[in-house]
Structures are given as structure tokens and as C-alpha cells.
Amino acid sequence: MKRKIITIDEAACTGCGLCIDACHEGALQLVNGKAKLVSDSYCDGLGACLPACPADAIHIVEREAAPFDEAAVAAKQASPTPPPLPCGCPGTLAKSISRPKAAPPEVSPAAMAATLESRLTNWPVQIKLVPPNAPYLQNAALLIAADCTAFAYPDIHRRFMAGKVTLIGCPKLDAGDYSEKLTAILQNNDIRSLTILRMEVPCCAGIANAAKQALVNSGKLIPWHVVTIGTDGAILEE
Ligand code: SF4
Ligand code: SF4
């Protein structure tokens, strides 16, 4: 039958997951960082997800599709599959992470304290709070890190923050888009390099996307790379 149903523009979708939360039928899922309609029969075609999409990636079209199946939706919702967290990322399903029991430290407390010295050299650190003309930004090597990376990666100070100016934010929970502030930072300062530290979960792609957009907006050629941290604390991609 021909009926009204949503369509998702993959190129425009940023994978933020907001539509998943907005769809009461559970018809949407993130697959490889893009929103997908799980099944035509789960979509009622009313478009409750449309206003949730900040990228204007969802539209209503009229096309051949299976009819909306309320019973199938109810059955799916009653299934015991654990639901994703509100951000909708399959990679952020609540889970426990098992760790081997900590071995007793082999170094003295003094040596340990020196090793654990903070490498933070700037304040504020939140992208939203940093003035684009803060003196520490001039000639800086920038680390742009998603909030969760500091908790997942145990050696973030030595491995990533040392010698860099650190800026942090959560692309999922912070309101607004970082690319504007980051563009101003890149335009107002001679930035030597950009290291972007993100989590593996799709919603965290937003911090890398914002940094890349800022690079494009600035028109500057600055060496940059993205490092992806797994929820188990491993470096997955560098
Ligand atoms: S709300 Fe986010 S995940 Fe859903 S379609 Fe729009 S950009 Fe994609
Ligand atoms: S920092 Fe990244 S992983 Fe953590 S909540 Fe925000 S978007 Fe998700």
C-alpha cells in the first residue's frame, strides 16, 4: 500500500540519536552512526521524530510500504532486549566492565605521585567556557577531548594532555554546536596541531565532526588526527 512514512537523509544525519528517543514506536536505531528505520511496519508516519532532528535529516514521504502494525510495535516493546540509553547509541547499552583485581603497586608512593602529576596547563577547560582569545591558545597544540575519555582512558594526562592545551566537552549533553567556538579559536590563534579524543560510541562522533567543521571554516591547514577510545579504556584507533 502507498502511505506516509519517514525517510532519513543519511548524508545529513549526524548520528546524534535524538530521533530514537523521540520515536515512541521504537522504529529507529543507530546503525554505524546513522539513524535507520528498523522496519516500515513500526513507523506510524506521524513524524514525531521530525522536530527532534537538529540536522533536518528526516522527512515524510509517500511511498509503497507495509502498513503500520501496532501489535508488532507492542510485541517489540515487550521484548526483553535491554533498551539503549536515552542517547540511543547501541554502543552505550548499560553494561559492566570486568577488570582484573588491582595488583599492589611496585613503586613508592612518592614515585607514584610524580607519575600521576597533572599535566593540565590551562583553565577553563570546557569548550563552552574558553574565550577564543585566551592567551594560552596562542601557538598551542590543542587536545579536544570528549568528557568520557578522561574516565575511560587511564593515562590521559601523560599520554594525551602533556604539552597540549586541553579543551573538553560532551557533544551529546552540551547544548549547541562546538564548531562555532572552535572556528573562532582556530581563526584567532596560531594553532600548531589538533588531537581529537573521542569515545567509540556513535554519539561521540559529534566532537570530531565539530572539530573538522571548524578546520574547514578556519581555512587553515593544521595537522590533525582523531583517537578513538573504547569503553574498556583501550585505544581503538589512532
Ligand atoms: S535526530 Fe540525529 S540521528 Fe536522528 S536522523 Fe536526525 S541527525 Fe540523524
Ligand atoms: S562524551 Fe561522548 S561518549 Fe560521553 S556522553 Fe558525551 S557523546 Fe557520549
Side-chain angles (χ1 to χ4, degrees):
M1 66 179 287
K2 217 166 191 184
R3 69 176 183 97
K4 289 191 170 159
I5 192 162
I6 64 148
T7 182
I8 300 169
D9 178 351
E10 266 210 12
C13 174
T14 61
C16 69
L18 294 173
C19 55
I20 289 153
D21 214 20
C23 176
H24 306 301
E25 282 68 37
L28 299 168
Q29 262 183 22
L30 280 182
V31 180
N32 296 327
K34 299 285 178 183
K36 301 261 190 240
L37 183 57
V38 179
S39 160
D40 284 359
S41 58
Y42 294 158
C43 176
D44 61 12
L46 296 177
C49 53
L50 266 67
C53 178
D56 194 26
I58 314 177
H59 298 98
I60 301 279
V61 291
E62 195 153 342
R63 66 165 168 83
E64 285 297 328
F68 173 55
D69 186 343
E70 211 169 338
V73 170
K76 177 181 184 294
Q77 286 170 342
S79 89
T81 311
L85 293 183
C87 73
C89 299
T92 56
L93 282 175
K95 63 181 180 185
S96 301
I97 301 169
S98 55
R99 304 277 180 202
K101 276 212 167 118
E106 287 165 16
V107 289
S108 69
M112 179 76 87
T115 309
L116 295 178
E117 195 183 340
S118 172
R119 304 303 208 268
L120 184 65
T121 58
N122 58 285
W123 191 264
V125 290
Q126 288 285 344
I127 297 170
K128 286 181 161 279
L129 301 180
V130 172
N133 56 354
Y136 52 71
L137 291 169
Q138 205 49 250
N139 294 315
L142 276 192
L143 172 68
I144 299 177
D147 290 349
C148 294
T149 58
F151 297 93
Y153 189 73
D155 200 17
I156 189 169
H157 282 254
R158 274 195 331 170
R159 177 73 174 71
F160 292 108
M161 291 168 59
K164 298 194 187 73
V165 164
T166 300
L167 305 181
I168 65 167
C170 170
K172 181 73 197 166
L173 302 177
D174 292 350
D177 176 9
Y178 298 133
S179 61
E180 211 174 301
K181 171 67 78 73
L182 293 175
T183 300
I185 287 173
L186 299 186
Q187 282 174 339
N188 282 291
N189 302 279
D190 288 328
I191 298 296
R192 288 187 283 126
S193 66
L194 217 54
T195 303
I196 302 146
L197 202 56
R198 58 162 287 191
M199 294 299 297
E200 64 174 316
V201 296
C203 58
C204 217
I207 200 149
N209 292 340
K212 288 181 213 167
Q213 187 60 52
L215 273 169
V216 172
N217 295 348
S218 74
K220 293 187 176 180
L221 282 175
I222 301 169
W224 63 278
H225 74 291
V226 179
V227 181
T228 304
I229 306 291
T231 51
D232 62 356
I235 295 177
L236 299 182
E237 210 179 323
E238 194 167 7

